């Protein structure tokens, strides 16, 4: 990226990096590290024209989260904490990724953006 005059790094962390999940300690710690790395790289790479931002998905219907989404008791507890009362879809992350990868975000670096149905706002 430095040789090409810049670029965009988009890290995928999780809302758990801000608000650790119950029985998800190690996962939450690693996502907090991704958030910290994103902020550090944003500062360190800015002069080279490299932007670094992070997407923080909330509960999203993926293979990784399938046990949470497909277990009614767990899903019910999770939805009670999400103001939109639903699980996100991977396609709902795409718009933010497109923005961060495009020239439209040319003045955006170090941003930590949650796409979580309001989870972190509650």
């Amino acid at each position: 990226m430095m040789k090409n005059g810049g670029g965009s790094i988009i890290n995928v962390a999780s809302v758990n990096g801000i608000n650790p999940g119950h029985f998800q300690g190690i996962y939450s710690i690693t996502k907090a590290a991704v958030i910290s790395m994103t902020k550090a790289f944003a500062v360190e790479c800015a002069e080279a024209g490299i932007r670094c931002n992070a997407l923080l998905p909330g509960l999203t219907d993926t293979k990784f989260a399938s046990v949470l989404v497909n277990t009614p008791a767990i899903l019910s507890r999770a939805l009670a904490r999400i103001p939109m009362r639903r699980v996100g879809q991977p396609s709902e992350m795409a718009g933010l990724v497109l923005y961060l990868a495009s020239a439209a975000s040319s003045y955006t670096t170090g941003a930590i953006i949650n796409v979580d149905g309001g989870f972190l706002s509650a």
Side-chain angles (χ1 to χ4, degrees), residues 23-80:
F23 295 118
Q24 297 176 348
I26 298 300
Y27 175 78
S28 299
I29 290 165
T30 63
K31 295 307 181 175
V34 171
I35 292 167
S36 184
M37 177 184 70
T38 299
K39 291 179 178 185
F41 285 178
V43 173
E44 293 176 12
C45 298
E47 287 187 23
I50 299 170
R51 296 172 286 112
C52 189
N53 298 287
L55 160 67
L56 276 64
L59 182 58
T60 305
D61 192 7
T62 63
K63 184 176 180 181
F64 180 75
S66 63
V67 71
L68 304 174
V69 173
N70 296 320
T71 305
I74 295 172
L75 180 61
S76 176
R77 289 182 67 192
L79 294 179

Side-chain angles (χ1 to χ4, degrees), residues 73-118:
I74 295 172
L75 180 61
S76 176
R77 289 182 67 192
L79 294 179
R81 298 183 65 206
I82 300 170
M84 292 184 85
R85 303 289 187 253
R86 67 179 182 84
V87 176
Q89 296 301 311
S91 62
E92 293 177 296
M93 308 302 141
L96 176 60
V97 172
L98 179 61
Y99 166 72
L100 292 174
S102 76
S105 67
S106 62
Y107 197 57
T108 303
T109 195
I112 309 301
I113 305 171
N114 51 300
V115 181
D116 65 356

